[in-house]
Amino acid sequence: MTKLSEDDLAAVSSLRAAVMRLSRRLRHQRVDESLSPTEMSVLGTLARCGSATPGELARKEHVQPPSMTRIVAMLEGKGLVRRDPHPEDRRQVVVSQTEQAEAMLAESRRKRNVWLAQLAEGLTDEEWATLREAAPVLEKLAHL
Amino acid sequence: MTKLSEDDLAAVSSLRAAVMRLSRRLRHQRVDESLSPTEMSVLGTLARCGSATPGELARKEHVQPPSMTRIVAMLEGKGLVRRDPHPEDRRQVVVSQTEQAEAMLAESRRKRNVWLAQLAEGLTDEEWATLREAAPVLEKLAHL
DNA sequence: GGCTTTCGTTAGCGTAGGTAATGAGATAGT
DNA sequence: ACTATCTCATTACCTACGCTAACGAAAGCC
């Protein structure tokens, strides 16, 4: 980035508002009834990375450690995640997903498909393409 | 939209996660300390539309009426908003922004400029252009 | 071998949303 | 015209999900 135009300013305003509104909708129009968006996100991260300690997960999700503890406890209670002692460092814990989580993610992907189909009706191909392009940039922005 | 590819599915997944993470950051890295993101959003809507009833605002922000009542009360308490009786329908209330809100929005825009400058360092011009393009589409998506 | 640091966790709090119930005013039915 | 229903805003209460502070156990460092 080199320069900030007035348009940029307007864009960031509208981006901010849209992200907040959208997040609100996502939060309670969740495709899976029993899992909060953040829990889903953790499960997704776990699916990508295999396994991680609570601390690592907290950093990745931009959440404080105590919050991650509670999220992991929730997931463990639902049998979606396993907590094993770290082989070398006995302070740490290794969190990894269960086969049940794998199945749930597949099912959730299917449901998301339906949800997506409804949503997609309101967007043109160009708009959709724009979003596909923007997704990784938003990821990057979220991690600053 | 015509068809849903595997890529679309992956994109919506990452979009979802990114929006949630970003919203979390926005929520507490707010540029204006005293106003919540939703309150800012309401003020923005009001700036665009001039004035509206609480019900209309609730629909636009995708929030339930009682929540909007509380938000408006907050804003009124801070002198940023005025509540007048509706001329024809005495059940309704007309909410409109004060001059003070106007000044605050200008100040907030200035602060956002600084925040934006920091943020922009991490993005390339192309990425930024992508976000500018995506902002209105996200707006549309947020309104279904 | 004691001091500091780094984990995960527990305890308690705050914020921002939601649902259910209420009351005043508008609207429709007969 | 009067009652019944419906709508709008509001009040009261509840829940979800994040935070900070405090703590105990394990690791690393003089």
Side-chain angles (χ1 to χ4, degrees):
Chain A
M1 271 299 293
T2 51
K3 195 68 171 46
L4 301 168
S5 71
E6 269 304 312
D7 286 350
D8 290 334
L9 219 51
V12 86
S13 258
S14 109
L15 193 65
R16 197 173 116 106
V19 165
M20 290 313 300
R21 275 194 279 260
L22 198 52
S23 77
R24 216 158 29 231
R25 305 204 66 185
L26 283 174
R27 187 170 296 280
H28 95 330
Q29 263 189 222
R30 49 188 70 161
V31 282
D32 188 292
E33 289 303 323
S34 61
L35 247 49
S36 87
T38 309
E39 289 167 340
M40 277 302 282
S41 188
V42 168
L43 234 44
T45 299
L46 231 41
R48 279 197 308 277
C49 304
S51 62
T53 69
E56 287 168 353
L57 286 173
R59 275 188 293 277
K60 281 184 190 171
E61 299 293 327
H62 285 288
V63 156
Q64 294 304 307
S67 304
M68 191 48 71
T69 291
R70 206 146 26 79
I71 290 169
V72 168
M74 204 67 109
L75 291 174
E76 192 185 20
K78 285 173 183 157
L80 298 171
V81 128
R82 205 176 35 242
R83 289 169 69 249
D84 297 309
H86 192 284
E88 292 133 29
D89 190 337
R90 272 182 296 176
R91 292 171 305 179
Q92 299 189 49
V93 169
V94 177
V95 181
S96 46
Q97 68 173 357
T98 63
E99 324 71 46
Q100 195 179 337
E102 201 107 33
M104 215 227 59
L105 278 179
E107 169 65 8
S108 158
R109 219 166 303 157
R110 199 193 56 76
K111 283 192 189 167
R112 196 142 49 197
N113 215 331
V114 176
W115 175 71
L116 190 56
Q118 297 180 312
L119 208 66
E121 289 169 10
L123 292 180
T124 68
D125 285 346
E126 294 77 34
E127 287 171 334
W128 192 248
T130 302
L131 282 190
R132 286 181 49 165
E133 211 175 337
V137 184
L138 283 171
E139 284 272 16
K140 184 174 176 182
L141 199 62
H143 293 301
L144 196 65
Chain B
M1 271 296 291
T2 52
K3 194 67 170 48
L4 302 167
S5 71
E6 269 303 311
D7 286 351
D8 289 335
L9 218 50
V12 84
S13 259
S14 108
L15 193 65
R16 196 173 116 106
V19 165
M20 289 314 300
R21 275 193 278 259
L22 197 53
S23 77
R24 223 169 10 242
R25 305 204 68 185
L26 283 174
R27 185 169 297 280
H28 95 331
Q29 262 188 222
R30 48 186 71 158
V31 282
D32 188 291
E33 289 303 322
S34 62
L35 246 50
S36 86
T38 310
E39 288 168 341
M40 277 302 283
S41 187
V42 168
L43 232 46
T45 299
L46 231 42
R48 280 197 307 279
C49 304
S51 61
T53 68
E56 287 168 353
L57 286 173
R59 276 188 293 277
K60 280 184 189 170
E61 299 292 328
H62 287 287
V63 156
Q64 294 303 307
S67 304
M68 190 48 70
T69 291
R70 207 149 18 82
I71 290 168
V72 168
M74 203 67 108
L75 290 174
E76 193 185 20
K78 287 172 182 157
L80 298 170
V81 128
R82 206 176 33 243
R83 290 169 66 251
D84 297 308
H86 192 285
E88 293 133 27
D89 189 338
R90 272 181 297 175
R91 293 170 304 177
Q92 300 190 50
V93 169
V94 177
V95 181
S96 45
Q97 69 172 355
T98 63
E99 324 71 47
Q100 196 180 337
E102 202 107 33
M104 215 228 57
L105 278 179
E107 169 65 8
S108 158
R109 220 164 302 155
R110 198 193 56 76
K111 284 192 189 168
R112 197 143 46 197
N113 215 333
V114 176
W115 175 71
L116 191 55
Q118 296 181 312
L119 207 66
E121 289 169 11
L123 293 180
T124 68
D125 285 347
E126 294 78 33
E127 288 171 332
W128 191 249
T130 302
L131 282 190
R132 285 181 51 163
E133 211 176 335
V137 184
L138 282 172
E139 284 272 17
K140 184 173 175 183
L141 199 62
H143 292 303
L144 194 73

